[in-house]
Amino acid sequence: MVATVLRLRYRLLGNSLARSPWQLVGFILGMLAAVWLVGLVVAGLVAVSFLQGLEATRTIAVVAGSALLLGWAIGPLIVAGADGMVDADRLAPFPFSQRQLMLALTGTGLTGIPGIATTLTALASVILWVRWPLAAIIALPMIAVAVLTCVLVSRLVTTMTTGFSGRRRGQEVIGTIVIGLLIMTGPILTGILSAVDAASDLPARLELAGAILGWTPLGAAWAVPGDVAAGAWLPALCKLVIAVGTLAALWYVWARALHSSAGTRPRPTTRTVKSGALGLFGAMPTGGVGATWARSLNGWLRDPRYLRQLIFIPLFPALFAFTTGVDGVMFTVSAIFVALILAIATYADISYDGTAFASVLSSGITGRADRWGRTLGAGSVGLPAVIVVAIVVAAVTGAWQNLAAVLGGALGLLLAGYGVSAVSSALLVVPVPRAGDSPFKTVPGQTFASGMLVFLVMGACLLLGAPALVLAIVAMTTASATLGAVSLVVGVAVGAGVIVAGVFVGGRLLDRSGPGLLQRIKAFPI
């Protein structure tokens, strides 16, 4: 059965690539990137093997192996998500035992591009121990343990997040945790940069990190060959027990998680509200614009798929503060980067409606009213956020003379982006996580072409926002308060004009393309 699942997985992959040339291009580029990365790592391993001593080799093996395992653990949350072709939910209707199901999912993890790249890289690490033949022999089974640990931890994280996020409240908790991890990127970068600055202490710090990680589940498997090469047999045996025990514990916990996920159906979270309470729908104006505005704002405030776009509001200032300092130019203009991300966040907004877009079409709301409502909903969150970021950054730096210029560039870009999105979202739909899914889950049906569309929209936003951006740059370069005020006026005026034009064009397009968009949404793989 496991072999059958693997054959079907590759048959599905082949069929999807044959149907979509752009997806084939993306797949080939992904393979080439993996080959390039493996080649780069192998070259580095060869250099370390012949140029470094035993202590440096042990440190590099443990630290790099620990980072690899950590990447497999975090990857399902942030980067890759679950395998869209073969996962536990898709295999649940078939007569698999739990052991067969786990073996099949492990096999698919090992035979994907990340699994193959990891396996080849791990096997290449034997090069590190060629000067110590016994350590090289011991390294082979430990590599198998390390690679299997990577795959199992990835599958465990995927199972736990998928099962837990079946409930909306669990989904929001997961999203909050990941947002916190992303915001903590700043302090992590600070530590790395401080370590690099203290170059004389860097080898000692890495050696200490390797010594500690070697006694943890992250690096135990990678530390065993180094201990064997050094003749430290008792530590090697203890770390072997830790590595094998970690693998066994992951298998057991994953089995329990699969059993719990299969035996418990997700239940929607409900709450009792006061009779007649309409929330935002009661506060917004009546009519198509008001109803769409309320629905869009509800999404921005409550739907984790929209909320994840808001992580960039504190992230950009924090990253620039940690990397270039609060006196750097990047920190000063961080509101412009926030505006760019928020401007393209709704470039395919109808995709998040899913098949519920049918209710929009059946309600009789005109395309222009829909465009205005969605733009107002996004603007109700985006505009205050950009203004607050600009003011806070000016207060931190004390560069109040740049505030008007920064606001001009940021607001001009944001408003132009809303106008562009009003047109693009009437033409484009892309596969996105369904309501109730983890917002970080990768869904089947995404192609290289659909991934490139966001860059096309970004280019249009930058082009239409260029008048205010150019004036803002000149104003800050020349320290001209007058030009800063002009850039603010130009940004708001041009941006408002782009929104009006975008709503007009997008509304007419949506009136014609609405049924076609719904058909394309229904055709997406589930």
Side-chain angles (χ1 to χ4, degrees), residues 17-109:
L17 295 179
R19 286 196 308 267
S20 173
W22 281 110
Q23 190 169 358
L24 177 61
V25 171
F27 181 78
I28 293 174
L29 290 177
M31 290 186 62
L32 291 176
V35 170
W36 176 82
L37 182 60
V38 171
L40 190 64
V41 170
V42 171
L45 292 175
V46 172
V48 170
S49 175
F50 290 99
L51 299 178
Q52 299 294 330
L54 177 57
E55 290 303 320
T57 301
R58 295 171 67 183
T59 298
I60 292 172
V62 174
V63 172
S66 301
L68 180 66
L69 178 58
L70 189 62
W72 274 82
I74 299 177
L77 289 174
I78 298 177
V79 179
D83 191 330
M85 294 183 179
V86 180
D87 56 25
D89 289 340
R90 289 179 179 272
L91 296 179
F94 298 99
F96 285 103
S97 66
Q98 181 166 286
R99 178 176 174 273
Q100 289 173 323
L101 175 63
M102 294 172 69
L103 289 174
L105 293 176
T106 302
T108 58

Side-chain angles (χ1 to χ4, degrees), residues 167-169 267-273 302:
R167 294 166 292 183
R168 187 172 184 86
R169 183 57 56 189
R267 296 187 303 272
T269 301
T270 60
R271 61 189 180 95
T272 303
V273 298
R302 301 180 62 183

Side-chain angles (χ1 to χ4, degrees), residues 391-420:
I391 293 175
V392 169
V393 167
V396 171
T397 61
W400 291 102
Q401 69 276 9
N402 292 327
L403 179 59
V406 171
L407 280 176
L411 294 180
L413 187 57
L414 181 64
L415 296 176
Y418 287 155
V420 172

Side-chain angles (χ1 to χ4, degrees), residues 118-140:
T118 298
T119 302
L120 293 177
T121 303
L123 288 173
S125 68
V126 177
I127 299 173
L128 293 172
W129 314 110
V130 292
R131 289 185 287 172
W132 302 277
L134 184 58
I137 295 173
I138 296 296
L140 289 173

Side-chain angles (χ1 to χ4, degrees), residues 139-510:
L140 289 173
M142 298 315 301
I143 285 171
V145 171
V147 172
L148 286 173
T149 301
C150 289
V151 175
L152 290 189
V153 76
S154 172
R155 290 300 183 182
L156 173 61
V157 170
T158 299
T159 300
M160 294 182 68
T161 55
T162 302
F164 187 47
S165 64
R167 294 166 292 183
R168 187 172 184 86
R169 183 57 56 189
Q171 181 188 62
E172 293 171 353
V173 170
I174 292 173
T176 303
I177 292 173
V178 176
I179 289 172
L181 289 174
L182 288 173
I183 294 177
M184 288 303 295
T185 303
I188 293 173
L189 286 175
T190 301
I192 295 175
L193 291 173
S194 63
V196 172
D197 290 337
S200 59
D201 296 333
L202 183 57
R205 294 185 183 188
L206 288 177
E207 186 175 345
L208 177 61
I212 296 173
L213 290 171
W215 288 97
T216 68
L218 287 173
W222 302 96
V224 173
D227 287 343
V228 172
W233 291 99
L234 183 58
L237 180 61
C238 294
K239 293 173 183 178
L240 173 64
V241 172
I242 293 173
V244 175
T246 299
L247 186 64
L250 286 172
W251 183 271
Y252 174 77
V253 175
W254 183 29
R256 299 291 298 176
L258 278 176
H259 178 76
S260 176
S261 176
T264 305
R265 301 301 302 170
R267 296 187 303 272
T269 301
T270 60
R271 61 189 180 95
T272 303
V273 298
K274 183 180 179 181
S275 177
L278 299 178
L280 290 175
F281 289 94
M284 297 300 178
T286 58
V289 175
T292 306
W293 185 0
R295 185 165 59 86
S296 175
L297 189 54
N298 262 326
W300 278 101
L301 297 178
R302 301 180 62 183
D303 192 333
R305 298 174 301 170
Y306 284 91
L307 288 172
R308 70 173 181 174
Q309 312 291 340
L310 304 182
I311 63 175
F312 295 100
I313 296 173
L315 183 60
F316 272 122
L319 286 179
F320 293 144
F322 284 121
T323 55
T324 66
V326 295
D327 296 327
V329 175
M330 299 298 286
F331 179 72
T332 302
V333 301
S334 55
I336 296 178
F337 289 93
V338 173
L340 178 60
I341 296 300
L342 293 179
I344 63 174
T346 57
Y347 83 100
D349 191 38
I350 289 177
S351 305
Y352 291 104
D353 289 2
T355 53
F357 182 57
S359 63
V360 177
L361 296 178
S362 63
S363 67
I365 294 176
T366 64
R368 194 175 303 177
D370 180 87
R371 302 292 84 190
W372 274 121
R374 292 177 189 267
T375 301
L376 289 170
S380 297
V381 175
L383 285 172
V386 169
I387 293 173
V388 167
V389 169
I391 293 175
V392 169
V393 167
V396 171
T397 61
W400 291 102
Q401 69 276 9
N402 292 327
L403 179 59
V406 171
L407 280 176
L411 294 180
L413 187 57
L414 181 64
L415 296 176
Y418 287 155
V420 172
S421 295
V423 177
S424 65
S425 62
L427 296 172
L428 307 173
V429 288
V430 295
V432 297
R434 296 172 297 177
D437 285 345
S438 169
F440 297 92
K441 179 181 178 181
T442 296
V443 294
Q446 293 176 331
T447 65
F448 178 76
S450 63
M452 294 300 293
L453 289 174
V454 66
F455 295 102
L456 181 63
V457 174
M458 184 182 297
C461 296
L462 290 171
L463 179 63
L464 294 173
L469 285 173
V470 171
L471 285 171
I473 293 172
V474 173
M476 286 186 289
T477 304
T478 60
S480 173
T482 303
L483 277 179
V486 172
S487 70
L488 178 56
V489 174
V490 170
V492 174
V494 173
V498 173
I499 287 180
V500 172
V503 167
F504 178 77
V505 175
R508 297 194 65 176
L509 289 173
L510 186 61

